[in-house]
Amino acid sequence: MKKYIYAFAAIACLSFAQSCKKDSEFLDKQPTSTLPIDAVWKDPNLVLTVVGDLYDRFPDFQRIESWWLFADFDEGFASASGDYFRHQNLEYGYDAWRYWDIGVYRLVNDLNLFIKRGQEATALKAEDRNRFLAEARFIRAGVYFEMVKRMGGVPLITVPLAYDYSGDPSYLQYPRAKESEVYDFVIAELEAIKTVLPDNATIQSRATKAAALAMESRAALYAGSIAKYSNAQLTLPGGEVGIPAAMANGYFTKALNAAKEIIDGGKYSLYKKNPNLSDNFAALFTDKGSNPEVIFAKDFKLKTNKVHGFTIDNQPRSSAEEAQGGRLNPSLNLVQSFEKLDNTYASFAAIDGSGNPVYYTNITDIFADRDARLAGTVILPGTQFKGKTVDIWAGYQLANGTIVTGDNFAQSKSNVLPGNPGSVQVVGGDGPVDGLEFSAQSGFYVRKYLDPATGSGQIGTRSEVWWIRYRYAEVLLNAAEAAFELGDAATAANYIKPVRDRAGLTTALSPANITFDRIVHERKVEFAFEGHQLWDMKRWRLADKVWNGNNMSAADFTNASNIGSATRTSTQVFGLWPYKYYNPGNANHLKYIFKVIKPSRVTAAHRFRIGNYYSSIGQDVLNGNPKIIRNPNQ
Amino acid sequence: MKNRFYFIIGAIIAVLCSSCKKDNYEAPAADFTGRIVYKGEAINVQYGQVNFELWQSGFGNYAALKVNVSQDGSYSAKLFDGNYKLVFSPNQGPFLWKKNATGKQDSIAVNISGSKAMDIEVMPYYMIRNASLTAASGKVNGSCKLEKIITDANAKDIESVSLYINKTQFVDGGNNIAVQQLTGATIADLNNLSMSVNIPAIVPAQNYVFARIGVKIAGVDDLIFTPVAKISF
């Protein structure tokens, strides 16, 4: 009985104690699931979690988490049935690559809010606070750069906006800034924060001085080339689109100086750990241990939810860790643009001058003596990934010209080869089989960014290879291009040399060899599958020449004479298929021959219209803000 | 039980009656048809590439109705009666659209009240004259001359002139089986252009092709074409 009294007394005490609390104390409890703003701005670790979210929203267009976008511009073929439409669309929509919606300006607003609150915060140490603020400004510069390169001039908003429910939203309606003003803003912001950010080459997933300079160099280069190569159609009277040609040199100088500051700083260098140049180039993208070339990357980590499936999606099918892979097939258009080691361009010699096939003893012989970046970017037939040789060959060609092939991976057939009644494999374990998804329908698989770690091709494990946004080689090529545009070909040759040396092209280009076409070509092969292609083609105003909507044929790939031309048409993906020649007794028996093919799923020729240079602005945006002017040509 | 049965019948009748109601709107009934012309002559363009916009105010948010122009320069749209404004966006079509005082694309007021046929007068950069397309010994030969219509500050050069042939009546840069192209730099005389293109093997065999000549004007997306010609050989 006593026990109950004690229990009752205790309960009574506790409830009285509770009810003695003031109402305000009871009602004003802080929620436990969210942190109030002023609590966050007291602890650098808490602020870092907010910055982490902002970094996570840093904009990219093509990246390893969206392999399919690489197939949109004829760099690669999308070997997955749901993505064949990428090769069946004649045109790019005017709204393609649009980057101007609620989400984008919400991100801008979040960044502006973060900056405003950071400036008001007093509890943090000044150095911590300044670094966080500089990081937010770095991300904001990245967002505006992404907007301006897609949309042209956009409203420049640098203060947080909030609606006051007065019924009149006109004070929230900003007009578009000039295109040049947005670039100027990006450059000025990066210039202002570069000294605040740490100058440390081992920080690669957060903003550093070099990251700011690298972005500044790229942005200034884009602005400069838009000014230089702009044409009259791509302007608006208010300058919202188009940059006057007179401003070109100023931007090129800024691009060169920013790049030079990184180069002269000496903290970064090209990745050269592996003596095999191709393996070295492939490892550059997957090696996260003290990689001296990476300036700014989006990082991933195993055993968290920050992993990606690029390797699962694109690993060679025959040695895949799941029944998956092979979705991105580099195109012959790209593959043949890698130079020979003597700095000349050449088609692959599938047929000789009189139209007869050329016979190769080894399947890889046709790719010999090429730029080492080729085998570092592309898994060629007969080369290895994760220690296993890919099995890419399309079948047998008999003496009478008949093709013997199959329609599934490593299919075997009986009694199909003359004088050989047994069962033989008639097509490679990786294809190519036309129309069979995951097979190498162009004859190639992608290697860049493919993770060599065991388990990276498993659904349960995935890959933690990072996505490199800025790397040292780009800084060198930016410097080379800016110097070239400023008329200094000798300096351009100096900056381009280390990049080409690493690729095994040891005969240096002389200043006289440096042409606009060379620079276009160098960026094309160095940065394949790194998300540069569309923006480069746009800023050089080459996009409507290259993707001109005209059909291509195999004849464009055999003995092509204009491979190094910046304006070479590339509207349809082509491939190169190896066949085994079957003719017992003949000297060429079981040697390889090659054929240029067009995958049957490629039905349309891409056409980039002049109106595509700037994405259209959504009708909802135009309706909501009468100060916004439409982009030209739409 | 009986009650419930009546109730079900009642419900069915109610549903049937309510579905007898007319839909809220009549379908658009007015045909708006015509061609894009220069001095009465139709401008031929690429299929699905050229369109104009019709804007109608007074119904909530603005958005354009886009009307496509066919290969032969004709168009047709089904519309509601009402007042529309018709405008070509900049860089639509191989022609210059007139601008208003503020430098923007000018619009034409169109009143639709019942079906209406209207030719839209445009100002092409070039016209293709005296085009002839013939077949001879496995080739299609084409010749034409070009008349430069716009010669003031808006004048533009020729980027290329192409002779396209195709199996079907859709003939252009993206739909062809063979093409012969003259680049603008190699054209010496606009009054004397001739091209010829070999007819490749067609599977399944057919003894005719469709051909047209297209002119690409520098800095203009859309080509101007000759009418599609069916050529037997």
Side-chain angles (χ1 to χ4, degrees), chain A residues 399-628:
Chain A
N400 62 6
T402 315
I403 300 281
V404 175
T405 184
D407 54 14
N408 209 337
F409 300 104
Q411 195 175 39
S412 291
K413 287 183 179 171
S414 302
N415 212 2
V416 284
L417 299 178
N420 182 351
S423 172
V424 289
Q425 186 186 338
V426 293
V427 66
D430 287 305
V433 176
D434 192 53
L436 179 64
E437 59 178 352
F438 312 152
S439 77
Q441 291 189 55
S442 72
F444 308 104
Y445 281 141
V446 69
R447 182 175 186 191
K448 198 179 257 189
Y449 279 116
L450 221 48
D451 188 352
T454 308
S456 59
Q458 288 175 4
I459 290 170
T461 311
R462 303 201 180 217
S463 169
E464 63 175 358
V465 163
W466 54 14
W467 168 244
I468 303 170
R469 290 169 174 145
Y470 290 91
R471 62 184 175 100
Y472 186 64
E474 189 205 337
V475 173
L476 289 170
L477 292 187
N478 287 355
E481 184 181 341
F484 170 77
E485 295 289 8
L486 290 167
D488 186 356
T491 309
N494 271 343
Y495 283 129
I496 219 168
K497 183 172 185 299
V499 178
R500 292 173 62 84
D501 280 352
R502 178 174 65 174
L505 301 157
T506 44
T507 316
L509 293 176
S510 70
N513 293 144
I514 304 281
T515 58
F516 177 69
D517 286 24
R518 272 282 172 193
I519 283 174
V520 171
H521 165 261
E522 203 61 39
R523 289 181 76 95
K524 179 179 186 182
V525 294
E526 177 74 25
F527 301 132
F529 305 117
E530 289 185 53
H532 287 261
Q533 186 194 22
L534 174 64
W535 315 120
D536 278 346
M537 289 296 150
K538 274 174 66 163
R539 70 187 170 93
W540 289 320
R541 304 297 189 228
L542 289 174
D544 64 316
K545 315 265 188 316
V546 171
W547 299 305
N548 58 11
N550 290 338
N551 281 344
M552 303 182 77
S553 68
D556 292 324
F557 292 89
T558 45
N559 303 318
S561 57
N562 60 348
I563 294 172
S565 162
T567 52
R568 179 184 156 86
T569 303
S570 178
T571 54
Q572 294 180 312
V573 168
F574 275 69
L576 188 67
W577 282 12
Y579 288 88
K580 290 181 186 177
Y581 182 65
Y582 190 87
N583 188 3
N586 186 294
N588 293 321
H589 179 52
L590 289 187
K591 286 188 177 176
Y592 287 95
I593 59 173
F594 288 84
K595 292 185 180 178
V596 172
I597 58 97
K598 179 167 87 170
S600 66
R601 297 305 184 268
V602 177
T603 54
H606 286 142
R607 180 159 182 260
F608 189 101
R609 293 168 288 173
I610 289 170
N612 285 119
Y613 276 108
Y614 293 95
S615 301
S616 66
I617 297 168
Q619 192 62 46
D620 51 338
V621 174
L622 294 168
N623 287 338
N625 181 353
K627 293 178 184 158
I628 302 292

Side-chain angles (χ1 to χ4, degrees), chain B residues 184-202:
Chain B
T186 61
I187 297 172
D189 181 7
L190 289 182
N191 289 321
N192 183 16
L193 297 171
S194 62
M195 287 153 284
S196 87
V197 59
N198 288 316
I199 302 169
I202 301 175

Side-chain angles (χ1 to χ4, degrees), chain B residues 7-22:
Chain B
F7 178 72
I8 291 170
I9 298 227
I12 289 172
I13 289 171
V15 168
L16 287 179
C17 287
S18 67
S19 61
C20 292
K21 264 193 187 164
K22 276 196 208 167

